Amino acid sequence: MEKKIRWGILGTGWIAEKMVAALSTVNDATLVAVGSRTTEKANEFARRHRVETAYGSYEELAADPRVDVVYVATPHPSHCANTLMCLRNGKAVLCEKPFAMNEREVLQMISTAREHNVFLMEAFWTRFLPSIDKVLNLIASGVLGQLRHIKSDHAAFRPFDPNHRAFNKALGGGSLLDIGIYPVFLTLLLWGEPDQIDAVPHIGPTGVDESLALTFKYDDGRIATLFSSFTVDSTVETHICGTGGRLKLNRWWFCPVPIELAKGDNPPETIHFDYVGNGYNYEVEEVVRCLRAGKKESDILPLDFSLRLIRLLDRIRKQMGLTYEADLQGGM
């Protein structure tokens, strides 16, 4: 029997907790180490999750010869530096979304992965859900006819706190990079890059977009209307409408949920899935599959897609006039 793929988690925030649960459900994966900025945090995380080794620095985790792949779970502005450090230590990397702060950083990550001949993938867990595969298959079948409109939102109210990562510009705050990235991702996946973007943000007192309304326009008449916000709760649904039918991705659509297919005035058909785990396990399975096959990137979520996604996010931010520290170090 092949040995399990040995994982390390870099960072101990809430998303790292999700990955611990995911790894526990994948037979070919095992969590062997965790790294934090302090020994206290690393030890506490390791104790709660029964992780064998805890490191009080990210550098120690990246240098651990037992670790095959590192999941980078730090705040957005640290993704690039943390990923580069792991890649240069010969570690495969699954880096949380957004991949980095801008195109320049993503290009550096990709070139470093290729230079060191190691695997790299963005941790965009939604792409690997069975529901998204079903959406792609239904669209390809022609059951919806010609697609004309996408309406997708992700808004979740948060009390204003200038120090929270959602509002803190130094931590990459703003609704676009945190939750608005999901509707942008899906529209890019289904339709590619728009010909025109109209972005209407509300920039809060900390200088980041607390709310954002987007319209993507395509020269052939297709339109996508997207919304993200920390100031209100929304339906958190996606509607994909074509000339022959429509799909609804139910509430919390980017998570493991059912979808609905409707044609004309007929009652919608609900499509259920036999989900396992918490949903993050599907991206873990993809990393394991790729490493077993000796691949350096995923066929399902290739590095080129992540590059196109960050370019699109940069286009949106440029229209908003929203820049971060990383942009001042070499431009978007």
Side-chain angles (χ1 to χ4, degrees), residues 99-135:
F99 217 11
M101 292 302 295
N102 55 37
E103 179 187 359
R104 177 184 57 81
E105 289 191 340
V106 170
L107 283 170
Q108 188 177 8
M109 291 158 64
I110 292 173
S111 65
T112 301
R114 290 173 176 165
E115 176 188 352
H116 291 269
N117 197 33
V118 288
F119 176 87
L120 174 64
M121 190 179 90
E122 184 174 11
F124 217 115
W125 70 304
T126 303
R127 176 63 187 91
F128 302 95
L129 297 177
S131 55
I132 298 302
D133 280 341
K134 185 65 173 179
V135 167

Side-chain angles (χ1 to χ4, degrees), residues 173-205:
S175 73
L176 173 64
L177 295 187
D178 194 29
I179 56 179
I181 191 173
Y182 285 102
V184 172
F185 149 80
L186 186 64
T187 306
L188 179 65
L189 179 67
L190 300 183
W191 283 358
E193 298 169 41
D195 296 298
Q196 180 181 336
I197 296 172
D198 292 328
V200 182
H202 167 65
I203 303 296

Side-chain angles (χ1 to χ4, degrees), residues 97-297:
K97 60 85 189 159
F99 217 11
M101 292 302 295
N102 55 37
E103 179 187 359
R104 177 184 57 81
E105 289 191 340
V106 170
L107 283 170
Q108 188 177 8
M109 291 158 64
I110 292 173
S111 65
T112 301
R114 290 173 176 165
E115 176 188 352
H116 291 269
N117 197 33
V118 288
F119 176 87
L120 174 64
M121 190 179 90
E122 184 174 11
F124 217 115
W125 70 304
T126 303
R127 176 63 187 91
F128 302 95
L129 297 177
S131 55
I132 298 302
D133 280 341
K134 185 65 173 179
V135 167
L136 292 170
N137 289 335
L138 286 170
I139 290 172
S141 75
V143 68
L144 300 182
Q146 292 183 336
L147 299 189
R148 308 309 299 166
H149 183 229
I150 295 173
K151 178 183 178 183
S152 184
D153 66 89
H154 184 356
F157 174 77
R158 293 182 183 273
F160 178 74
D161 177 357
N163 296 314
H164 190 278
R165 65 173 184 83
F167 301 98
N168 189 330
K169 194 171 187 180
L171 296 178
S175 73
L176 173 64
L177 295 187
D178 194 29
I179 56 179
I181 191 173
Y182 285 102
V184 172
F185 149 80
L186 186 64
T187 306
L188 179 65
L189 179 67
L190 300 183
W191 283 358
E193 298 169 41
D195 296 298
Q196 180 181 336
I197 296 172
D198 292 328
V200 182
H202 167 65
I203 303 296
T206 59
V208 300
D209 59 301
E210 295 183 358
S211 294
L212 175 63
L214 289 170
T215 303
F216 287 0
K217 300 179 182 178
Y218 296 79
D219 288 344
D220 61 5
R222 292 173 293 161
I223 295 176
T225 52
L226 315 176
F227 178 68
S228 60
S229 180
F230 293 133
T231 64
V232 295
D233 289 317
S234 70
T235 60
V236 197
E237 294 176 347
T238 290
H239 299 260
I240 304 168
C241 303
T243 56
R246 58 195 183 275
L247 280 173
K248 175 186 174 186
L249 283 64
N250 289 326
R251 181 165 173 79
W252 305 115
W253 64 266
F254 58 93
C255 299
V257 297
I259 64 176
E260 296 179 11
L261 172 63
K263 301 189 72 175
D265 294 328
N266 297 321
E269 171 196 355
T270 300
I271 303 172
H272 295 277
F273 303 91
D274 294 325
Y275 291 114
V276 296
N278 64 2
Y280 292 85
N281 47 291
Y282 295 107
E283 66 180 357
V284 171
E285 291 170 357
E286 173 64 4
V287 174
V288 169
R289 183 189 70 82
C290 288
L291 293 181
R292 290 270 193 247
K295 293 180 177 292
K296 306 308 176 186
E297 62 181 287

Side-chain angles (χ1 to χ4, degrees), residues 8-171:
I9 293 181
L10 194 151
T12 54
W14 72 272
I15 195 68
E17 306 272 350
K18 299 284 190 182
M19 183 54 64
V20 171
L23 287 167
S24 70
T25 65
V26 179
N27 290 332
D28 285 346
T30 184
L31 177 58
V32 299
V34 61
S36 183
R37 288 175 296 179
T38 68
T39 301
E40 291 75 19
K41 285 184 178 179
N43 285 337
E44 194 276 333
F45 189 93
R47 178 189 57 78
R48 280 190 293 113
H49 298 294
R50 299 180 181 178
V51 183
E52 178 183 343
T53 305
Y55 292 115
S57 73
Y58 298 150
E59 291 79 7
E60 289 176 286
L61 175 66
D64 187 337
R66 299 170 307 146
V67 173
D68 300 312
V69 54
V70 174
Y71 171 63
V72 174
T74 50
H76 311 341
S78 300
H79 285 180
C80 180
N82 294 157
T83 296
L84 293 177
M85 176 179 61
C86 293
L87 294 172
R88 288 165 180 162
N89 276 274
K91 300 294 187 288
V93 174
L94 175 66
C95 180
E96 190 51 55
K97 60 85 189 159
F99 217 11
M101 292 302 295
N102 55 37
E103 179 187 359
R104 177 184 57 81
E105 289 191 340
V106 170
L107 283 170
Q108 188 177 8
M109 291 158 64
I110 292 173
S111 65
T112 301
R114 290 173 176 165
E115 176 188 352
H116 291 269
N117 197 33
V118 288
F119 176 87
L120 174 64
M121 190 179 90
E122 184 174 11
F124 217 115
W125 70 304
T126 303
R127 176 63 187 91
F128 302 95
L129 297 177
S131 55
I132 298 302
D133 280 341
K134 185 65 173 179
V135 167
L136 292 170
N137 289 335
L138 286 170
I139 290 172
S141 75
V143 68
L144 300 182
Q146 292 183 336
L147 299 189
R148 308 309 299 166
H149 183 229
I150 295 173
K151 178 183 178 183
S152 184
D153 66 89
H154 184 356
F157 174 77
R158 293 182 183 273
F160 178 74
D161 177 357
N163 296 314
H164 190 278
R165 65 173 184 83
F167 301 98
N168 189 330
K169 194 171 187 180
L171 296 178

